[in-house]
Amino acid sequence: MSPIPRHLLDVGDLGPDGVAEVLRVADSFVEVGHRANPKVPALRGRSVATLFFEDSTRTRVSFETAAKRLSADVLSFATGSSSLNKGESLRDTVETIEAMGIDAIVIRHPSSGAPAQVARWVQSCAVVNAGDGWHQHPTQALLDLYTVRQAFGGGDEGTERISGLRVVIVGDVRHSRVARSQVAAYAGLGASVTLVAPPTLLPPSLEGWPIAGVSHDLDRALRSADVVSLLRLQAERGSGQCVPSLREYTACFGLTARRAATMEPGTIILHPGPMVRGVEIASEVAELPSARITDQVTNGVAVRMAVLFLVLGQGTTEGSDHG
Ligand code: NCD
């Protein structure tokens, strides 16, 4: 049975085999990205709609670039100028889009669970979650895994090495869908995950989270980290009420140049973006060779190509001969 589900709603839906498959397929799409004409016909004749109900720069552009590089037709649905403003429900919008023959809907929504609801409404469309509320952001976690795997040797060997890594996730875990997906993805491949945050920025309960521990001491956590993954304070979700001031947050939990200098040479730094320089990460730290933030963006396109190819291409193209 294929390890790839019809919809990608939660990174946990993939399981370790599905994750390994996405990473493997992404390898060949990274190679495509290096070509003079970075395009393959894998999804010619198929169409992908992006439905973003929240602000986004990189995720939307990344998905649309991925779909175009696979030769799919892309419909970018501007929710601000749609009939949603005339009172149309999400269900009617989705059913209208599906009736036009769209094959995949990539959806970002401020409500946790909206993509799962959409998946229940559609008949034959694939649904890909591009971030829902505080809940999940599966392709972000996958592109993070890809970037870590690349930094630690690449290929299946790199995937295996993830199982021995110590990953530290720092910041606004409470409001972060990225953190929820990352924890599941890293732990699913056997990495040891430590959350570092003030108590107010942790979820009320961590029961069931597959983590090695929680720390409020960033300096200490950095000493034994292989991967340091930073989170933005989610001001739009109320993080401002959880910290006394930005200055104090940065003093205790920001990756400052002084702190970055204490890290082991092989430790890498990740950030999903958008970065707020000077708050969770110092500007000069974001420019260090150990910061793989630009690689994350580049890899994001290949990983999303792999996801779209796998959810849409199953059974419609021969094997992985998509070049
Ligand atoms: C993240 C998101 O939207 O959840 N950004 C992204 O997709 N690259 C993280 C964030 O907004 O802080």
Side-chain angles (χ1 to χ4, degrees):
M1 209 184 90
S2 163
I4 306 299
R6 187 175 138 220
H7 308 294
L8 181 59
L9 304 174
D10 187 311
V11 75
D13 296 344
L14 288 170
D17 289 348
V19 168
E21 174 81 351
V22 170
L23 301 182
R24 229 174 276 132
V25 173
D27 275 336
S28 55
F29 290 134
V30 165
E31 184 273 310
V32 169
H34 294 141
R35 295 184 195 167
N37 176 13
K39 225 169 159 170
V40 288
L43 295 184
R44 186 178 289 152
R46 317 298 299 278
S47 46
V48 175
T50 53
L51 248 88
F52 276 55
F53 294 87
E54 251 188 24
D55 297 342
S56 163
T57 314
R58 76 205 69 224
T59 306
R60 180 182 200 127
V61 173
S62 181
F63 267 110
E64 292 180 359
T65 304
K68 285 178 185 164
R69 287 191 177 174
L70 292 166
S71 303
D73 294 320
V74 179
L75 178 113
S76 182
F77 185 87
T79 54
S81 56
S82 72
S83 289
L84 285 154
N85 286 345
K86 298 181 185 167
E88 186 175 64
S89 69
L90 177 59
R91 181 171 191 155
D92 285 337
T93 303
V94 164
E95 286 177 356
T96 302
I97 288 176
E98 188 169 39
M100 290 175 192
I102 300 291
D103 300 293
I105 294 177
V106 176
I107 179 169
R108 167 168 289 194
H109 202 282
S111 302
S112 300
Q117 185 61 268
V118 169
R120 284 191 283 273
W121 290 329
V122 294
Q123 306 293 319
S124 59
C125 248
V127 178
V128 178
N129 182 0
D132 62 328
W134 302 11
H135 177 228
Q136 278 280 312
H137 192 352
T139 57
Q140 180 65 48
L142 291 167
L143 74 88
D144 289 346
L145 281 183
Y146 190 90
T147 306
V148 172
R149 168 180 176 268
Q150 189 178 55
F152 288 89
D156 288 344
E157 228 169 82
T159 307
E160 269 165 42
R161 279 207 58 197
I162 292 177
S163 72
L165 296 182
R166 293 158 305 175
V167 179
V168 172
I169 298 176
V170 190
D172 185 0
V173 179
R174 182 188 184 97
H175 302 109
S176 175
R177 55 193 174 209
V178 171
R180 284 168 177 77
S181 288
Q182 285 173 334
V183 167
Y186 285 123
L189 292 191
S192 155
V193 181
T194 301
L195 304 177
V196 180
T200 49
L201 287 179
L202 289 169
S205 165
L206 286 165
E207 213 187 308
W209 286 52
I211 51 172
V214 172
S215 167
H216 310 305
D217 183 347
L218 179 57
D219 291 294
R220 191 149 168 221
L222 290 178
R223 274 183 240 138
S224 56
D226 299 300
V227 177
V228 177
S229 187
L230 303 167
L231 299 168
R232 182 179 63 88
L233 285 171
Q234 306 280 297
E236 69 278 28
R237 302 185 216 285
S239 66
Q241 283 135 43
C242 303
V243 291
S245 70
L246 288 184
R247 188 198 286 246
E248 185 157 336
Y249 177 79
T250 305
C252 296
F253 296 97
L255 191 58
T256 58
R258 178 194 65 74
R259 286 203 172 102
T262 67
M263 292 174 5
E264 291 293 325
T267 306
I268 64 164
I269 301 163
L270 301 180
H271 192 307
M275 283 186 279
V276 186
R277 290 175 187 253
V279 178
E280 71 272 9
I281 185 166
S283 208
E284 60 267 45
V285 173
E287 309 306 329
L288 292 173
S290 55
R292 304 301 173 98
I293 300 162
T294 308
D295 292 343
Q296 287 175 277
V297 176
T298 306
N299 292 335
V301 175
V303 166
R304 291 180 172 120
M305 286 172 80
V307 165
L308 291 173
F309 174 74
L310 289 167
V311 297
L312 276 180
Q314 294 182 72
T316 60
T317 45
E318 286 103 59
S320 58
D321 181 19
H322 43 66

